[in-house]
Amino acid sequence: MKVEKVELPALRVLAFRRVGPYGPGVGEAFCKLTSFACKNGLFCGSSIVIGSYLDCPKTTPPEQCRMDACLTLEPQMAPALENGFRIETLPGGLCAEYLCNVHDNDFAAPHNELAGWLPQNGLSWDGGRPCYEFYYGPCAQTHPLKKWVIDILYPVK
């Protein structure tokens, strides 16, 4: 497991909020996001799809866990927003970054690995900022090796 400490810049994004248990239902938020982004021509060569997870599922009841499906936006992009969409700035700062593969849609496994790695390496989670997943390449259903390739970023102090 290779983890790096990185300084993440603040990121301007289009965001769609979902409240509920983390897991399979999260994909619905990303479907809404990508559909809206495609319809409005928001994807460009520098676009990054990001999951922003605002609550720790170990301390927040599942039905209250908040996440935002996000897409980075160029400064000049100002789409007309539909219900549920907003433009916001994701906070940056010091993060532990873990580039990993996710098989069988088991996103919990690498999160548990990173959460265990932090205290073993003298770091603690900064609960005042969200955790992020940066998604690279196609989704697991269309990836030739049937996996997700993601960066998990935990805010640390």
Side-chain angles (χ1 to χ4, degrees):
M1 171 176 196
K2 183 178 179 201
V3 179
E4 296 182 33
K5 288 194 292 185
V6 298
E7 190 69 32
L8 180 69
L11 299 168
R12 181 175 179 261
V13 298
L14 171 70
F16 182 82
R17 171 74 43 97
R18 178 186 183 277
V19 179
Y22 297 152
V26 167
E28 296 170 15
F30 286 106
C31 286
K32 289 181 181 179
L33 174 77
T34 56
S35 176
F36 179 83
C38 285
K39 183 173 73 173
N40 289 279
L42 300 177
F43 281 105
C44 65
S46 63
S47 296
I48 302 171
V49 176
I50 301 170
S52 174
Y53 298 87
L54 290 94
D55 299 299
C56 176
K58 294 180 180 176
T59 58
T60 303
E63 65 277 1
Q64 295 176 12
C65 286
R66 299 165 297 151
M67 70 80 54
D68 292 327
C70 303
L71 177 71
T72 56
L73 293 177
E74 295 293 318
Q76 73 279 7
M77 292 179 173
L81 301 177
E82 295 176 0
N83 190 27
F85 288 93
R86 65 192 189 288
I87 295 175
E88 70 171 50
T89 301
L90 297 178
L94 185 62
C95 293
E97 174 192 38
Y98 177 31
L99 176 62
C100 59
N101 296 316
V102 174
H103 298 276
D104 299 320
N105 288 324
D106 184 6
F107 285 85
H111 278 274
N112 291 336
E113 288 179 54
L114 183 54
W117 183 93
L118 293 178
Q120 295 172 4
N121 289 275
L123 297 170
S124 59
W125 178 56
D126 178 354
R129 295 185 287 141
C131 298
Y132 301 119
E133 291 176 350
F134 284 49
Y135 306 97
Y136 304 114
C139 69
Q141 290 79 4
T142 56
H143 190 285
L145 300 177
K146 303 300 181 206
K147 67 180 182 180
W148 294 92
V149 179
I150 67 170
D151 260 329
I152 298 175
L153 289 103
Y154 276 15
V156 294
K157 48 184 170 174

